[in-house]
Amino acid sequence: TVTALTQLYAEKGGESEAPYFKEAINYVSGSEQYSFIQNYSKFLKKCTDKTIQESMPTLEYMGRNGTQWYVRLSAVQAMGDLSDKYSKDIKELKDKMAENKTAKKEGENPKLEIQISEINRLKQPIDDRIAAIKSDEQDPNLKQIYGTATSEK
């Protein structure tokens, strides 16, 4: 089944399995979409930036069109996990810059600043997609979870 294979690839797969996920999305429905997203997210955390960026249309599609609200939530959470991965990378580079400043070895910092800018360039479109999905969502459960629900008086 698709779920079994995506679970295997999430555990043991590599970059070469990325096209499978992009195709397999067309063959999952209902609650199987949830398992698919969970496996895809786990898989992507091991992948290159290029593969992560190429996954965004699929995750965005599921975040907008998953058949159940919890599937859409799972896709948004997967995107958030990837954004968090980039945030962690940025924090590590900023910490390294602070260490360099303390050790008076700031010569490396311009290179680190360029790396931070590059990571931000990768992270920002993910954050923008998440914000757009949350803003467009109509399901009351998700609006509550996303904090986009408006109270009517």
Side-chain angles (χ1 to χ4, degrees), residues 8 31 43 69 71-72 77 88-89 102 117 143 150-151:
L8 176 68
S31 63
F43 170 79
W69 68 268
V71 171
R72 296 192 303 279
Q77 288 173 332
K88 183 177 175 239
D89 293 344
T102 302
S117 292
K143 288 176 81 147
T150 55
S151 58

Side-chain angles (χ1 to χ4, degrees), residues 69-103:
W69 68 268
Y70 57 85
V71 171
R72 296 192 303 279
L73 175 63
S74 181
V76 170
Q77 288 173 332
M79 294 170 76
D81 288 347
L82 295 169
S83 177
D84 290 348
K85 171 194 173 304
Y86 287 130
S87 293
K88 183 177 175 239
D89 293 344
I90 290 168
K91 182 185 180 319
E92 288 172 4
L93 290 170
K94 286 182 175 180
D95 290 349
K96 177 69 174 155
M97 287 175 66
E99 288 172 22
N100 288 346
K101 191 172 184 177
T102 302

Side-chain angles (χ1 to χ4, degrees), residues 39-85:
N39 290 330
Y40 198 22
S41 177
K42 188 173 184 178
F43 170 79
L44 288 168
K45 290 176 191 170
K46 305 183 300 181
C47 290
T48 63
D49 293 333
K50 181 177 187 282
T51 299
I52 290 170
Q53 296 303 309
E54 289 172 353
S55 76
M56 285 301 113
T58 301
L59 290 173
E60 181 176 13
Y61 176 83
M62 293 303 291
R64 291 182 179 279
N65 302 301
T67 54
Q68 302 292 327
W69 68 268
Y70 57 85
V71 171
R72 296 192 303 279
L73 175 63
S74 181
V76 170
Q77 288 173 332
M79 294 170 76
D81 288 347
L82 295 169
S83 177
D84 290 348
K85 171 194 173 304

Side-chain angles (χ1 to χ4, degrees), residues 2-152:
V2 171
T3 301
L5 201 47
T6 58
Q7 186 172 6
L8 176 68
Y9 288 163
E11 296 289 330
K12 305 216 184 286
E15 293 287 323
S16 62
E17 282 76 43
Y20 176 80
F21 280 92
K22 289 171 82 174
E23 182 63 25
I25 189 67
N26 298 311
Y27 301 100
V28 295
S29 60
S31 63
E32 192 178 25
Q33 291 175 335
Y34 179 80
S35 299
F36 175 87
I37 294 295
Q38 295 298 305
N39 290 330
Y40 198 22
S41 177
K42 188 173 184 178
F43 170 79
L44 288 168
K45 290 176 191 170
K46 305 183 300 181
C47 290
T48 63
D49 293 333
K50 181 177 187 282
T51 299
I52 290 170
Q53 296 303 309
E54 289 172 353
S55 76
M56 285 301 113
T58 301
L59 290 173
E60 181 176 13
Y61 176 83
M62 293 303 291
R64 291 182 179 279
N65 302 301
T67 54
Q68 302 292 327
W69 68 268
Y70 57 85
V71 171
R72 296 192 303 279
L73 175 63
S74 181
V76 170
Q77 288 173 332
M79 294 170 76
D81 288 347
L82 295 169
S83 177
D84 290 348
K85 171 194 173 304
Y86 287 130
S87 293
K88 183 177 175 239
D89 293 344
I90 290 168
K91 182 185 180 319
E92 288 172 4
L93 290 170
K94 286 182 175 180
D95 290 349
K96 177 69 174 155
M97 287 175 66
E99 288 172 22
N100 288 346
K101 191 172 184 177
T102 302
K104 303 209 184 295
K105 297 180 182 176
E106 295 176 81
E108 188 183 325
N109 283 2
K111 243 194 303 185
L112 297 175
E113 287 174 357
I114 290 169
Q115 287 178 308
I116 289 169
S117 292
E118 177 62 20
I119 294 169
N120 272 321
R121 188 184 66 75
L122 296 170
K123 180 183 182 308
Q124 190 59 52
I126 297 171
D127 294 342
D128 291 345
R129 286 176 191 250
I130 292 169
I133 291 169
K134 288 179 175 182
S135 174
D136 295 344
E137 181 60 59
Q138 296 302 309
D139 182 273
N141 292 319
L142 288 177
K143 288 176 81 147
Q144 191 71 33
I145 291 167
Y146 294 157
T148 58
T150 55
S151 58
E152 296 187 18

